[in-house]
Amino acid sequence: MAEIQIKNVAKRFGSYQALHDINLTIADQEFMVLLGASGCGKSTLLRIIAGLETQTEGEVWIGGRRIDHLPPRERGIAMVFQNYAVFPHLTVFENIGFGLRMQKLPNDEVKRRVERTAELMHIEQLLGRYSGELSGGQRQRVAVARALAMEPDVILMDEPLSNLDALLRLEMRAELKGVLAESNTTAIYVTHDQVEAMSLADRISVMHEGRIVQAATPVEVYRNPAERFVAGFIGNPPMNFLPAASADGGKWQVAGEIYDGPAAANGVEFAIRPEDIAPADTGLPAKVRLVEPLGAHLLVTCDVDGTMFRAILESDLQVKPGDMLKLAPQTDRIRWFDSSTSLAVA
Amino acid sequence: MNARLLPYILILPVTLFLCLFFLYPFLLVAKQAFNNGSGFTLENFQEVVGYWKFPISLKNTLLLAAAVVPVQLALALLMATMVNKMQKGRDLILYVWTIPLGISDLAAGIIWLAIFEQSGFLNSMMSGLGMIDRPMNFLSYQHPGIVFLAIALAEIWRATAIMLVILVAGIGLIPKEYYEAAEVFGASPWKRFWRITLPLLRPSLQTALVLRVILAFEIFAVVAALGGTLFPVLMGETYAYQFDLLNSGAAAAMALIILAISIGFTLIILRALRVPKGAQI
């Protein structure tokens, strides 16, 4: 059992507040992704859990044991680093076995575990090599194998795929997901790549300016962003936003059209994902600015009520810049955000 | 300008300089050592090796190197590790620690002579504390151990910094992530030093040790100041042949013997601290 609890964790570097009052519980064997732009504090949070950084305030618990005062080696964790940190002076075998040797396990046990994890990561033929003789992808596999060989309760990964080329990243992503699912460990994975986050995570914690703005399943984060920031960050292209003017009793006027919205009296913004829009006889009046064929779809950038608005439309649709379209949003996919608090309102 | 020729043209001046002022004199020395005026001979070598002081000076030189270099290595590693951990004032400490480097070896010998001689600081201190009744002559033939110790101390004080600066630069080249990974995977600070710092420092250790060992075999001025004739070393004997006995053939032979010992130890150090291909940082 390795449930991770982060309680009121804050971190200051001098006068800079890197993390504000973080509270997060990660269930045993859950795959949690910390997602955010660079500088949002996601790596700092991971390093606090690892013990490589000390929090200014708050507590970290793993498996019902408070560990934030312990050195990294007593926390029951293993880590995969962004630059792999595969020791250059040791062979692949000794790299994978490094943690086991530190635990003073008998030689045959080290050998058994190293060979098993090497096989799992398909690097059994590289055991005698040094890291200088490996490709980036192979080094990455060694770094993951070294972590898995520890049979840790918790595995921490700091942008582990960001130094690989696009094709390799895709391949490793799928493999990592499979291997970790079988290993029964709790995983925390830091990335700035939302596609990676979506495809790997059981739950995503979206971070922004040192805070967790939403922690939910990938579908929930995508469909029901808790904040305008999440809506604008997740999705490629992200959600469209349009100003809305109040028309009586939960009705709002958006670019001249009336839609059912929240009853709140405050100002709200209308939001819709580009793929939840279709051309129709009535709808938002849009002037086409740019048409980008993406193969399966067309990405159409338009001007709606003076605001940039993107729609993903059927690829057989005949449109060209300058055309006027009526774009009808799928009404159950419309989301509303409070203009003053930026929070989602129903 | 032809781009392929350019590098060779650029290194030409320094190559000429080295040929003129290093290689040529070296050949002259070699000629002197192997020539008695009528042709090739090993007489000079037989003479210097057969002299009764040769085994003593060889033994003294090797003993001194064996005593001084390991202590300097340990000290330099300790100091480099400390400097590397410092957040502030690192440069200041480094400058202070490297001051002895700016002092000539003879001056260093004289400084330590001022401590150990009969009217020196050590005698004043010990009599001030009531430990002795009258000044002692530490640096006499009655106390060979103290003579050796004084020379070793002066050498350690004078020349540790040369290793220190090389090792500080070398430790600075080791990426921080290796230490973090080692820490996460269970290595204590001591284990991190043995399993990460030392192996990854091998190239710098090579340079520092080669330089230091060669200098240790060339020790002369510090010994002359503190030991005089009580503690013969190879370089001192070379000097005596050249300037006291006016036997430049023998002096040349001694110089070549010291060179051979230096080359031998250099090869051993390079071999022992070799980094396998593919295992570099």
Side-chain angles (χ1 to χ4, degrees), chain B residues 72-73 75-86 89-95 97-98 101 160-175 179 193 197 200-201 203-205 207-208 281:
Chain B
Q72 287 185 318
L73 178 65
L75 270 178
L77 277 171
L78 182 71
M79 289 155 86
T81 314
M82 282 159 69
V83 165
N84 233 53
K85 287 258 187 286
M86 292 178 68
R90 184 193 139 112
D91 289 350
L92 181 72
I93 293 288
L94 259 184
Y95 285 132
W97 279 352
T98 46
L101 270 188
T160 301
I162 185 84
M163 296 181 92
L164 173 68
V165 288
I166 296 169
L167 296 184
V168 165
I171 288 179
L173 288 178
I174 302 174
Y179 289 103
F193 177 77
T197 308
L200 291 180
L201 204 54
S204 306
L205 285 173
T207 313
I281 292 179

Side-chain angles (χ1 to χ4, degrees), chain B residues 82 86 98 114 126 148 160 170 188 190 195 262:
Chain B
M82 282 159 69
M86 292 178 68
T98 46
M126 285 173 78
F148 183 85
T160 301
S188 60
W190 186 241
R195 302 283 311 252
S262 296

